[in-house]
Amino acid sequence: MKTLVRFAKCESGATAIEYGLIAALISVGIIAVVTNVGTEIKATFTDVDTGLKSRTK
């Protein structure tokens, strides 16, 4: 019985789950930002490529 009471009071598992959720949210945020930046960079390079092609003709 003492083991069950001690297990119920132990919060290390809950803390680990909280840290896992925080890490997951940060990861989702990073992925969203990197995806958006990648799209912007691709558009910029496409504009540069188009500009260079029009000058060589």
Side-chain angles (χ1 to χ4, degrees):
M1 188 67 177
K2 288 182 183 181
T3 305
L4 291 175
V5 171
R6 190 176 49 171
F7 178 74
K9 288 183 180 181
C10 180
E11 295 182 4
S12 62
T15 303
I17 290 171
E18 290 170 357
Y19 283 131
L21 289 172
I22 290 169
L25 288 173
I26 290 171
S27 298
V28 168
I30 290 172
I31 290 169
V33 168
V34 168
T35 301
N36 189 25
V37 169
T39 303
E40 294 294 325
I41 290 174
K42 182 178 178 183
T44 301
F45 278 116
T46 301
D47 291 344
V48 170
D49 183 48
T50 303
L52 290 173
K53 285 180 181 176
S54 67
R55 292 202 175 235
T56 59
K57 289 184 177 180

